[in-house]
Amino acid sequence: MLKRLAPWVCIKRPMILTASVICVTASSVRALVVTHGMTPAVTPAVTQGVTPRRGWRASPTAAIKIHAPSGTLLVQGWGRDSVSIEGTLASGESFFGGGTVNGLKLGAEGTATAGRTSLLVRVPAAARVVVRSGAADVRVIGLTSTIDVGSAAGDVDVSGDADAVTAESISGDLHIHVNASAVRARTTRGRLDIAGRILEAQLTSVSGALVLSAQLIGTVRVETIDGAVEIRGAIARTGSIDVQTFGGTVDLAFPAEQGAALDLRATDAVIGGVLTGRRGGRESLDLRALAVKSGNTTSLSRVIGPSGAPAPSVTVRTMRGRIRLRTLPRERQPGD
Amino acid sequence: MSRHAPHTPHDNGPDPQLRAALDALPEERTPPADSWSHLQRTIATMPPAGAPQVRTRRTRVRWAAQAALAASLVVTLSVLANRSIRQASPDPLADLSDDERRDPRVLALVAQTRNWHAAAHDSARSARWPMAARAAVDGAIESTNRELGSARAALARDPSDVSAREAIDTLRERQRALLQHAMALLDDI
């Protein structure tokens, strides 16, 4: 009889059962809602605020992986043998970090529900850095070793002098202004903007426009599906340009003195443009007039430039995308 | 002198029914000696013996109904989601010739495409994948399929068109690589 006076005895198990059913149901609904792009009704109660500045010892060439789900992340190289992080966290995100002097992993995690995360991470300048971002815009400056930035939906901006840069964003834009021996850049829909002195580059997009404006172009391979391609600059003696696109247009612009072995082919599209000579007695070349049409394919194979000058290869293949070459105006030539 | 407050009625101790119940309790659970009247008043206000069980049964029925309602909501949403998946992801084998269906490169792309759709709609796996990134990948699939259609049309017009045949192979390989790469990146964020 007394047990009836203690209601928890009777309802404790059903309460737990009901709560667990509701929790499972709510998380499932929330997952489905998130999957379909709606705002979840339930939000974690994490207070937004400024993170305390934290730091770790790190070797000069430590491997460091940084995560940033949303907001902005600035990764900056500095002259100290340590890593520090500071900034502001959005509600719903929390901070984590740890590792050894040779390997660290840090950043923010969780799902932002309000506010905006803004993090500044300082790392040794020669550290090997990997960044993974959900929707966060990432900027990397002052690093000299290898940089690997991958973002699902954020913009990526990398600048400085680095050994090698790998940058990728599925839907964001990539801005890479570096002096580097190797650059790998990939985007799906975002714009790809590359500048600097690059010995070797492999640039890939699906629909995103791709602009390479380099002081000196080494070996460059470009692949797109229907993104427009624009390449401006001087090709190194040992360099080459290889462009393959399907529906995208291709615009190439070289200095007047540039020598090159052109191998251009466009299916269901035209080849055009005019190359104007400045020195060496080269006359203007109307490429449209020089192109040969066979069936639905237009092609042009020709060596341009002053006689005796190096002629790095320029190969372009398109399906439906027109090809146009022109001479860079003197005042707009990269590196001037 | 009474130990009770002036307004408290005299305590005659528990009646036999209550005493029997109290005797059944462990000694340490025995209430303080001055609480008999309080317990008796509480018992007097209680409904007949069968009512609490009825109320408990009703409560359990209500909880079961709530659980069933929540479960049916999940099932309904899942069905709607799966229906939208099927509508958004047509059978990649539908338009292929028999030769293409036997081509391992084609089968690799079909498998990768199915993996993408399955992963993108697996709420546990893809809950943190940004919508913009998913839309970009879906848009890339459409762009590639559009170019594939163009190349296939060119090949249909001229079966000896080598460039069209190469284009089809290249596009399929790029699409497979795109999906594989995108899934790897999205799983890593």
Side-chain angles (χ1 to χ4, degrees), chain A residues 106-129:
Chain A
L106 65 151
E109 60 186 353
T111 302
T113 54
R116 184 172 172 83
T117 293
S118 175
L119 293 177
L120 166 61
V121 178
R122 293 188 178 93
V123 302
R128 296 160 291 150
V129 173

Side-chain angles (χ1 to χ4, degrees), chain A:
Chain A
M1 187 181 290
L2 277 183
K3 287 183 178 178
R4 290 176 195 148
L5 297 176
W8 61 270
V9 174
C10 298
I11 65 175
K12 186 177 179 182
R13 285 177 59 83
M15 278 183 74
I16 293 172
L17 176 63
T18 305
S20 64
V21 167
I22 290 173
C23 286
V24 169
T25 303
S27 64
S28 304
V29 170
R30 187 164 59 245
L32 286 168
V33 164
V34 170
T35 301
H36 289 80
M38 294 176 280
T39 305
V42 182
T43 55
V46 179
T47 306
Q48 177 185 2
V50 176
T51 62
R53 179 172 174 172
R54 291 182 59 183
W56 299 266
R57 287 176 57 235
S59 68
T61 58
I64 299 167
K65 187 166 188 179
I66 305 166
H67 283 264
S70 68
T72 61
L73 168 67
L74 170 60
V75 182
Q76 188 172 29
W78 67 354
R80 302 182 188 178
D81 292 347
S82 60
V83 173
S84 80
I85 182 169
E86 59 188 290
T88 306
L89 284 175
S91 294
E93 291 188 358
S94 57
F95 169 78
F96 74 95
T100 68
V101 292
N102 293 317
L104 285 161
K105 188 173 179 180
L106 65 151
E109 60 186 353
T111 302
T113 54
R116 184 172 172 83
T117 293
S118 175
L119 293 177
L120 166 61
V121 178
R122 293 188 178 93
V123 302
R128 296 160 291 150
V129 173
V130 174
V131 179
R132 289 294 176 263
S133 142
D137 295 334
V138 179
R139 186 173 175 219
V140 179
I141 56 176
L143 296 183
T144 61
S145 185
T146 60
I147 303 166
D148 178 350
V149 184
S151 177
D155 294 341
V156 175
D157 187 328
V158 180
S159 59
D161 298 331
D163 281 345
V165 176
T166 301
E168 175 175 8
S169 181
I170 294 176
S171 61
D173 296 339
L174 302 179
H175 304 276
I176 302 172
H177 293 213
V178 294
N179 296 327
S181 57
V183 171
R184 300 275 184 280
R186 175 192 293 265
T187 180
T188 299
R189 191 161 62 185
R191 177 185 171 89
L192 217 164
D193 179 19
I194 312 287
R197 297 174 70 89
I198 300 165
L199 293 183
E200 192 251 323
Q202 184 159 343
L203 315 174
T204 307
S205 87
V206 176
S207 300
L210 190 152
V211 178
L212 170 61
S213 176
Q215 293 171 323
L216 186 65
I217 300 170
T219 302
V220 175
R221 179 170 176 80
V222 176
E223 293 179 350
T224 81
I225 301 297
D226 55 8
V229 177
E230 182 177 352
I231 298 177
R232 300 190 301 262
I235 313 170
R237 288 168 175 264
T238 57
S240 65
I241 293 176
D242 185 353
V243 179
Q244 188 176 55
T245 180
F246 290 84
T249 59
V250 178
D251 287 278
L252 306 175
F254 304 122
E257 299 79 15
Q258 179 71 58
L262 303 179
D263 177 8
L264 317 178
R265 190 172 76 198
T267 305
D268 291 329
V270 299
I271 297 173
V274 175
L275 296 175
T276 57
R278 288 177 180 272
R279 291 181 293 188
R282 193 175 78 190
E283 300 295 329
S284 294
L285 294 177
D286 182 352
L287 299 179
R288 186 169 193 139
L290 295 172
V292 176
K293 190 168 176 59
S294 173
N296 61 346
T297 301
T298 305
S299 58
L300 188 153
S301 296
R302 188 181 182 96
V303 176
I304 61 169
S307 60
S313 68
V314 176
T315 306
V316 181
R317 298 286 183 267
T318 79
M319 300 271 290
R320 299 191 298 108
R322 62 124 179 90
I323 304 170
R324 187 174 62 191
L325 271 69
R326 64 186 173 88
T327 302
L328 279 173
R330 181 65 189 168
E331 63 275 13
R332 294 185 57 190
Q333 290 182 9
D336 288 349

Side-chain angles (χ1 to χ4, degrees), chain B residues 41-115:
Chain B
R41 280 199 306 276
T42 304
I43 291 172
T45 59
M46 284 176 61
Q53 282 85 352
V54 172
R55 190 166 58 239
T56 302
R57 278 198 299 273
R58 285 177 181 165
T59 306
R60 285 176 176 163
V61 168
R62 190 164 63 246
W63 290 329
Q66 288 173 344
L69 184 63
S72 65
L73 178 62
V74 171
V75 169
T76 303
L77 289 172
S78 300
V79 169
L80 290 174
N82 287 332
R83 188 173 298 169
S84 67
I85 292 168
R86 284 196 298 272
Q87 289 171 347
S89 53
D91 183 6
L93 287 172
D95 297 329
L96 300 179
S97 67
D98 289 342
D99 285 344
E100 288 174 317
R101 290 174 193 228
R102 287 191 290 269
D103 187 335
R105 295 169 300 181
V106 176
L107 295 177
L109 172 59
V110 169
Q112 194 66 56
T113 305
R114 285 178 175 159
N115 286 345

